[in-house]
Amino acid sequence: MSSYPTDSNRAHPLSLSPDYKSSVLRAPSRPLIPMRHTLSELTGPVYGHETVRSGDNDLTTQHKGEPLGERIIVHGHVLDEDGRGVPNTLVEIWQANACGRYIHVRDQHPAPLDPNFTGAGRAQSDATGYYEFVTIKPGAYPWGNHHNAWRPAHIHFSVFGHSFVSRLVTQMYFPGDPLFAFDPIFNSVPDEKARYRMVSDFDLENTQPEWALCYRFDIVMRGKNATPMETK
Ligand SMILES: [Fe+2]
């Protein structure tokens, strides 16, 4: 039996981030107990990879019409701590629509749903770790954390490695968002450099003329350049 290394966990947000109010109730109040992974946890089959179809990575073609909003390309590599691409990784995303609204019973704020946008997609990284999505730039949305609380525009990412225990979840942000300074979730990552590893780069080189702006988001699974992941 063995465990994955945990050194880079220091980049991740603290379980208890009092400004992020729901973390107060759900953060463990006692020290965590390390648990060794079983062999079957580390080597067993992983849900989902075999069912990814071409087109699942295009969130703009899931309905009869095109969704409203700014079409964007989001792409990058899933990388290990040495900068090598991680192939065959299941990358799943979910996000609000251009107006900042989710199709979710808990999201009832007065912004319109888009009948042509569900807001979920998935892709599998290729042999070099590369993945790509086509989607709509999500809007900022209000949330009830504190007075006048708004989330910076973001896309949720889930990355599944080669076993069930290798799922990691993070959020991708857009460069230059004026809401960064006011967002307790973004700021729950204590180290500033680590925090900005969750912010995508504007990618002019891969922007498609007359069609879509492009953003690059490389996801580093661990090591000193690890992308901060949600640990709760
Ligand atoms: Fe969100």
Side-chain angles (χ1 to χ4, degrees):
M1 291 197 292
S2 64
S3 298
Y4 286 110
T6 57
D7 294 351
S8 58
N9 285 354
R10 283 190 295 276
H12 303 328
L14 302 170
S15 298
L16 178 61
S17 301
D19 289 344
Y20 176 13
K21 285 190 181 157
S22 54
S23 79
V24 174
L25 279 179
R26 69 184 178 210
S29 57
R30 298 182 186 194
L32 299 181
I33 302 167
M35 299 199 47
R36 292 258 172 215
H37 299 309
T38 64
L39 192 60
S40 61
E41 281 178 322
L42 294 171
T43 62
V46 178
Y47 168 77
H49 292 68
E50 72 284 356
T51 60
V52 177
R53 295 177 298 263
S54 68
D56 284 357
N57 64 336
D58 188 343
L59 285 71
T60 68
T61 54
Q62 296 174 342
H63 298 275
K64 279 191 182 143
E66 289 192 273
L68 294 175
E70 184 185 340
R71 185 189 301 111
I72 57 171
I73 300 160
V74 175
H75 70 162
H77 285 82
V78 182
L79 299 169
D80 70 12
E81 63 269 51
D82 298 318
R84 293 174 300 204
V86 183
N88 307 320
T89 302
L90 179 65
V91 183
E92 298 170 297
I93 63 170
W94 62 100
Q95 62 166 97
N97 69 20
C99 300
R101 180 88 187 264
Y102 283 102
I103 300 178
H104 191 282
V105 66
R106 295 270 308 269
D107 186 355
Q108 299 293 333
H109 90 278
L113 290 171
D114 184 340
N116 290 313
F117 191 72
T118 300
R122 58 188 179 167
Q124 193 169 348
S125 66
D126 70 10
T128 68
Y130 178 77
Y131 74 89
E132 181 182 61
F133 288 98
V134 176
T135 186
I136 294 293
K137 191 172 184 188
Y141 60 80
W143 61 309
N145 188 71
H146 56 276
H147 173 67
N148 209 10
W150 292 78
R151 295 295 332 279
H154 60 276
I155 297 176
H156 297 266
F157 271 73
S158 162
V159 181
F160 253 118
H162 298 284
S163 70
F164 263 123
V165 292
S166 62
R167 184 186 187 215
L168 293 169
V169 174
T170 190
Q171 297 182 25
M172 183 204 99
Y173 298 88
F174 293 87
D177 196 311
L179 290 167
F180 287 156
F182 310 105
D183 181 43
I185 294 182
F186 182 70
N187 290 294
S188 67
V189 174
D191 178 68
E192 188 180 16
K193 275 190 185 160
R195 215 179 296 149
Y196 279 87
R197 290 201 290 271
M198 299 185 293
V199 181
S200 57
D201 290 318
F202 174 58
D203 183 351
L204 181 65
E205 197 180 330
N206 290 296
T207 285
Q208 300 289 317
E210 318 298 327
W211 196 69
L213 295 185
C214 183
Y215 293 88
R216 175 172 289 280
F217 185 53
D218 290 334
I219 303 165
V220 182
M221 304 314 294
R222 62 174 177 244
K224 65 180 170 44
N225 295 317
T227 307
M229 302 289 176
E230 294 171 16
T231 53
K232 298 164 273 276

